[in-house]
Amino acid sequence: MSEAPWWLESGPETCQFCLRNFHYEAGYHCIYCDRPICPACVAARFDTRDTLCPECHEEEKCHEEEACQGGQE
């Protein structure tokens, strides 16, 4: 019986968004606010491979929607 890899186990770092414990080495950082993000909470833009925290991702979506709505009026 094999043990789970270290990056799947709980670590000493706590995600600010979901409060899960994770290993810092297995996490990500937001490109805008530089906060650490656990692998479960990271929002990625696949075209540019950028990683965003849930808050910055929501803000970005709101700005994009406003720009799209502004262009339609």
Side-chain angles (χ1 to χ4, degrees), residues 1-69:
M1 184 155 96
S2 65
E3 293 183 22
W6 64 268
W7 59 86
L8 295 178
E9 296 175 0
S10 293
E13 189 78 26
T14 302
C15 181
Q16 297 175 18
F17 304 99
C18 68
L19 303 178
R20 290 183 187 156
N21 291 329
F22 68 99
H23 287 278
Y24 183 82
E25 297 85 0
Y28 300 89
H29 282 84
C30 180
I31 62 167
Y32 294 124
C33 66
D34 199 38
R35 288 185 284 185
I37 317 160
C38 78
C41 289
V42 70
R45 290 189 290 186
F46 294 105
D47 54 341
T48 60
R49 303 184 127 218
D50 293 333
T51 57
L52 293 94
C53 71
E55 286 180 10
C56 290
H57 181 66
E58 284 300 314
E59 286 179 23
E60 185 176 69
K61 281 186 0 184
C62 290
H63 290 299
E64 287 175 359
E65 288 174 6
E66 288 174 7
C68 291
Q69 290 174 359

